[in-house]
């Protein structure tokens, strides 16, 4: 893969205004592209009213079935499940690296079983489930139990009556190489949909990303947030050396997992980034969705919006990803995991950023998953346990005209 392959044409004026907003909103200049050249040219759109981000949140009501009351003008279309950071290991409970949050390694599998039982018995079953990464914990590698633990969790997922789409996180790469994952059951790229006569929307084999259509006029895109990473890559490869140079260029610490003293704390080893090749592909898919008036949901293990996440958990080049997304009108929601604490914010362009609470830090008497009910004018997340309910309205231009 040529990591230096970037579009050379200049962005349209509207896109420059959006980049200016991105610089202003983050309190710093847009980071220099990680791999030389210009940001991929997106399709311009009219300026949107930039209302302040607001949090749409309602109380959790686990005793009530379904997503709750909706307006008479809102038409229910379909639903999908979401779950993140299962991190199963056959170990006694432990703690995070800071020693201040308990991790329930064995019980995470019971939480997964409970989520699957719920989805299997819903009156209107979800079209699919999105597994947001970190399916088993990195400790499995230390105890040489990676394959055994993965098999146990995948056998549990086989009880699910609908398709599951797997995203890769840092703990996948603690346990397995990228080559291993590509040939494993965690590669669900076979579930992708291809757009006839649009070869530019076919992803490269150089990264793990694809798109699919769970319901007419809705396109889901899975991104590879460790496309640029030193994890899971042969250390003798040119890509590893290039990614290590990027990381050390932003993080001078001897311990590369430490954000201490960093002005950009996302540049740690347990994070990664999106190559320009992948961002160019994302731009092409979003261009198609704009043209065909589709609504798009994007999925990534790493979050990309600072207002919804601890800054140390963001993708390396989150600004580059936001720049592409904000240049299109079709994206309505971005789901991520990684933080374990969860988070939410609606950005000024109407994209809802949802970071799902992690199963691994969920006590046995609680839960951590959700079902998203999709309507003609909104999405409603019905959370279980630690996951709060959320109402996510589409911006007016993205609502279906019924």
């Amino acid at each position: 893969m040529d990591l230096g392959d970037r579009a050379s044409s200049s962005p349209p004026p509207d896109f420059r205004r959006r980049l200016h907003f991105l610089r202003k909103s983050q309190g710093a200049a847009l980071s220099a592209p990680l791999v030389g050249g210009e940001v991929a040219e997106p399709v311009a759109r009219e300026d949107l009213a930039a209302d302040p981000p607001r949090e749409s949140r309602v109380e959790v009501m686990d005793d009530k079935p379904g997503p709750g009351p909706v307006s008479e003008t809102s038409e229910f279309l379909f639903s999908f499940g979401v779950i993140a950071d299962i991190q199963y290991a056959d170990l006694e409970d432990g703690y995070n690296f800071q020693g201040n949050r308990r991790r329930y390694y064995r019980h995470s599998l019971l939480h997964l079983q409970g989520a699957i039982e719920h989805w299997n018995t819903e009156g209107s079953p979800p079209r699919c489930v999105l597994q947001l990464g970190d399916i088993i914990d990195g400790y499995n590698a230390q105890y040489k139990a990676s394959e055994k633990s993965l098999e146990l969790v995948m056998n549990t997922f086989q009880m699910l009556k609908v398709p599951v789409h797997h995203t890769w996180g840092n703990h996948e790469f603690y346990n397995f190489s990228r080559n291993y994952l590509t040939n494993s059951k965690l590669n669900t790229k076979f579930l992708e949909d291809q757009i006839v006569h649009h070869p530019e929307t076919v992803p490269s084999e150089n990264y793990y990303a694809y798109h699919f259509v769970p319901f007419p006029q809705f396109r889901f895109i899975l991104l590879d947030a460790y496309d640029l990473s030193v994890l899971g890559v042969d250390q003798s490869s040119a890509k590893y050396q290039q990614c290590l140079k990027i990381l050390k260029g932003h993080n001078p610490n001897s311990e590369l997992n430490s954000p201490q003293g960093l002005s950009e704390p996302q540049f740690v080893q347990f994070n990664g980034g999106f190559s320009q090749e992948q961002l160019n592909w994302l731009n092409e898919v979003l261009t198609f969705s704009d043209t065909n008036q589709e609504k798009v949901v994007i999925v990534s293990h790493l979050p990309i919006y600072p207002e919804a996440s601890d800054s140390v958990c963001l993708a390396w080049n989150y600004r580059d990803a936001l720049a592409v997304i904000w240049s299109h009108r079709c994206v309505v929601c971005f789901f991520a995991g990684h933080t374990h604490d969860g988070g939410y914010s609606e950005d000024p362009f109407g994209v809802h950023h949802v970071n799902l609470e992690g199963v691994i830090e969920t006590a046995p008497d609680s839960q951590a998953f959700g079902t998203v009910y999709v309507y003609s004018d909104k999405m409603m997340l019905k959370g279980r346990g630690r996951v709060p309910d959320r109402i996510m309205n589409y911006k007016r231009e993205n609502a279906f005209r019924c």
Side-chain angles (χ1 to χ4, degrees):
M1 173 174 67
D2 181 6
L3 295 177
D5 181 21
R6 303 174 70 100
S8 59
S9 52
S10 59
D14 180 63
F15 182 55
R16 293 195 186 97
R17 287 195 294 272
R18 290 173 185 279
L19 289 185
H20 174 73
F21 178 87
L22 180 57
R23 295 185 183 102
K24 185 177 179 182
S25 69
Q26 300 310 323
L30 183 68
S31 62
L34 294 185
V35 187
E38 295 291 335
V39 174
E41 178 176 349
V43 174
R45 64 174 179 178
E46 297 79 10
D47 281 332
L48 303 176
D51 296 328
R54 60 187 182 277
E55 179 168 340
S56 300
R57 182 169 178 162
V58 296
E59 292 299 318
V60 177
M61 299 173 290
D62 278 347
D63 58 333
K64 294 186 68 175
V70 294
S71 66
E72 293 181 0
T73 60
S74 191
E75 177 190 2
F76 173 69
L77 302 175
F78 70 102
S79 67
F80 60 94
V82 286
I83 192 166
D85 298 276
I86 299 166
Q87 288 183 223
Y88 169 76
D90 185 15
L91 294 172
E92 297 295 330
D93 295 349
Y95 288 87
N96 64 341
F97 293 115
Q98 290 73 36
N100 58 2
R101 297 199 307 213
R102 197 172 184 88
R103 293 187 170 181
Y104 304 89
Y105 295 107
R106 287 198 183 104
H107 203 90
S108 65
L109 192 65
L110 297 179
H111 282 320
L112 174 60
Q113 291 170 355
I116 290 172
E117 289 172 8
H118 174 84
W119 288 318
N120 283 345
T121 56
E122 281 213 66
S124 177
R127 290 296 179 103
C128 64
V129 168
L130 305 177
Q131 190 275 113
L132 303 178
D134 283 3
I135 196 169
I136 63 173
D137 195 85
Y139 271 128
N140 286 288
Q142 181 178 328
Y143 292 98
K144 301 187 185 306
S146 300
E147 292 187 348
K148 181 180 178 181
S149 291
L150 179 60
E151 182 180 9
L152 183 58
V153 177
M154 296 304 286
N155 286 343
T156 302
F157 265 113
Q158 284 187 341
M159 297 188 301
L160 186 64
K161 296 178 180 178
V162 300
V164 57
H165 297 264
H166 293 292
T167 307
W168 298 349
N170 49 309
H171 282 263
E172 276 76 13
F173 292 109
Y174 295 156
N175 285 282
F176 307 108
S177 70
R178 179 170 286 270
N179 286 340
Y180 183 99
L181 291 171
T182 300
N183 294 292
S184 75
K185 292 180 181 179
L186 283 177
N187 184 345
T188 47
K189 202 170 180 179
F190 67 93
L191 295 172
E192 71 180 339
D193 286 315
Q194 295 191 353
I195 303 173
V196 179
H197 304 310
H198 286 271
E200 72 279 4
T201 64
V202 177
S204 164
E205 295 297 324
N206 294 326
Y207 49 84
Y208 173 64
Y210 64 93
H211 55 86
F212 66 99
V213 178
F215 190 86
Q217 297 303 113
F218 284 84
R219 189 169 301 278
F220 285 24
I221 302 175
L222 272 74
L223 294 181
D224 184 348
Y226 290 85
D227 184 7
L228 296 179
S229 173
V230 296
L231 302 178
V233 185
D234 186 343
Q235 295 187 10
S236 66
S237 68
K239 182 173 182 180
Y240 175 86
Q241 295 300 326
Q242 207 157 12
C243 292
L244 184 63
K245 183 178 180 181
I246 292 169
L247 180 57
K248 287 188 172 181
H250 292 82
N251 186 342
N253 295 326
S254 58
E255 172 50 70
L256 292 174
N257 273 323
S258 172
Q260 185 175 356
L262 302 186
S263 60
E264 294 184 288
Q266 76 271 19
F267 281 98
V268 286
Q269 187 169 281
F270 56 78
N271 293 334
F274 311 99
S275 70
Q276 190 58 42
E277 182 184 24
Q278 185 179 180
L279 291 176
N280 288 346
W281 166 79
L282 174 63
N283 184 63
E284 295 290 356
V285 178
L286 296 182
T287 298
F288 178 89
S289 292
D290 275 348
T291 303
N292 290 274
Q293 298 183 320
E294 295 178 335
K295 279 186 274 298
V296 171
V297 172
I298 299 180
V299 180
S300 162
H301 182 65
L302 297 180
I304 63 169
Y305 191 55
E307 297 300 317
S309 170
D310 185 325
S311 59
V312 78
C313 291
L314 294 165
W316 286 352
N317 56 339
Y318 69 89
R319 294 184 183 96
D320 293 343
L322 282 174
V324 174
I325 290 169
W326 284 357
S327 69
H328 295 274
R329 64 171 60 88
C330 56
V331 181
V332 297
C333 199
F334 190 105
F335 281 95
H338 196 51
T339 65
H340 297 185
D341 283 337
Y344 168 81
S345 184
E346 180 183 356
D347 72 32
F349 302 108
V351 180
H352 299 273
H353 296 263
V354 180
N355 298 343
L356 211 68
E357 287 73 5
V359 171
I360 182 61
E361 293 179 7
T362 301
D365 61 353
S366 186
Q367 252 298 4
F369 71 94
T371 304
V372 181
Y373 297 87
V374 181
Y375 292 82
S376 55
D377 61 345
K378 68 174 75 68
M379 292 185 180
M380 298 180 67
L381 170 60
K382 174 65 178 178
R384 300 288 165 171
R386 296 176 62 213
V387 178
D389 292 355
R390 302 192 189 280
I391 299 173
M392 300 173 285
N393 295 302
Y394 308 143
K395 290 193 75 70
R396 187 174 300 176
E397 66 179 29
N398 279 331
F400 279 127
R401 293 181 175 86
C402 299

